Amino acid sequence: SVTLFLCTAAKEAQGVILLITSAFFWLLSLLLTSLVWLAVVPLRKHLALTLVFSVLFQEALRVVFVLLVKKTDVALSRISRETTDLFHGPRYSVIAGLGYGVMSAMFMYVNVLSEASGPGTYYTPGSPSMPIFVSGALQASVMTGLHVCWGLLCSEGLEKRSWPLLASVTLSHMLVSCLTLMNEAGISPIYAIVCSYLILAVIGTFTFKRFGGNIKPFFKIQ
């Protein structure tokens, strides 16, 4: 996350503002999920349904954010003589996804860190040999990477009006989020973590190829 921030958002003030705004939109999705959880009493007993609403709100607000950024870019180009390449190409999508991912990881891991002040070490119910801090850190890390990929794919889908691409973002997000329910079932978190990283590898490779990535230059012999 720090490396991506230094390579993308930290270069310009607009990048930092974009990152913070993206994180704010993720917080809005959390607020909407909380309001639904409070309004619909049966959801309080069914974590899976709450999770579904959470993912839907996150992806809906991601779409709203991307559209808002595009509208802002058009408006700024009309009233300002200075141009910036921040809103052109995949860079702004990476920053937007990073803002989503960082805020998601912070909220995911802050609950785990709150237990660190206790007198003992907490372990996950499904895997007594794995401290909850390790599993939480691994899960937060993979979600950050996935949000960056989802941000890129969402922007690409809206730009080219590719509804299957947008649907794949939502469905893959739903799948990864549902994997966390394995912890509630007492299943070892190792399975959920491994599956999440496999999904990240698949989505990351797909995103890399879709945006014209090429690994051949890295293997050229000088």
Side-chain angles (χ1 to χ4, degrees):
S1 299
V2 175
T3 303
L4 278 177
F5 172 76
L6 294 176
C7 293
T8 56
K11 293 182 178 181
E12 298 181 47
Q14 296 96 324
V16 178
I17 295 173
L18 187 65
L19 179 76
I20 296 174
T21 308
S22 174
F24 175 74
F25 269 73
W26 188 90
L27 287 175
L28 283 180
S29 71
L30 181 64
L31 175 62
L32 292 175
T33 305
S34 301
L35 292 176
V36 171
W37 185 82
L38 290 173
V40 184
V41 177
L43 286 181
R44 304 179 188 180
K45 299 180 180 180
H46 302 282
L47 181 60
L49 293 177
T50 305
L51 187 146
V52 170
F53 278 101
S54 176
V55 171
L56 292 177
F57 282 134
Q58 286 183 53
E59 295 307 325
L61 284 173
R62 193 198 302 275
V63 171
V64 172
F65 177 75
V66 172
L67 294 176
L68 181 63
V69 168
K70 292 182 180 296
K71 293 290 184 181
T72 303
D73 181 34
V74 174
L76 288 177
S77 64
R78 293 176 179 175
I79 64 177
S80 177
R81 296 180 179 178
E82 297 183 1
T83 59
T84 177
D85 62 346
L86 177 62
F87 301 108
H88 303 281
R91 184 182 164 202
Y92 87 92
S93 300
V94 173
I95 297 174
L98 183 62
Y100 248 62
V102 168
M103 188 57 64
S104 173
M106 286 178 61
F107 267 81
M108 183 183 299
Y109 202 56
V110 70
N111 293 329
V112 177
L113 290 179
S114 64
E115 305 292 342
S117 59
T121 301
Y122 288 83
Y123 293 88
T124 53
S127 180
S129 61
M130 176 180 286
I132 194 172
F133 309 111
V134 175
S135 61
L138 291 173
Q139 196 67 37
S141 177
V142 72
M143 287 302 295
T144 303
L146 283 169
H147 273 297
V148 172
C149 294
W150 289 330
L152 285 164
L153 295 176
C154 179
S155 176
E156 179 80 357
L158 288 173
E159 184 175 347
K160 296 186 176 181
R161 296 184 180 276
S162 176
W163 307 120
L165 188 59
L166 292 174
S168 67
V169 171
T170 302
L171 291 176
S172 59
H173 190 176
M174 193 78 69
L175 174 60
V176 175
S177 298
C178 287
L179 288 175
T180 60
L181 296 175
M182 296 173 66
N183 299 333
E184 296 293 326
I187 303 174
S188 174
I190 297 177
Y191 298 107
I193 293 172
V194 171
C195 291
S196 297
Y197 274 92
L198 288 176
I199 294 173
L200 174 60
V202 173
I203 295 178
T205 302
F206 174 76
T207 306
F208 186 75
K209 291 292 186 180
R210 189 173 183 87
F211 282 85
N214 187 7
I215 63 173
K216 291 182 178 180
F218 295 100
F219 298 96
K220 284 186 177 180
I221 300 176
Q222 301 294 334

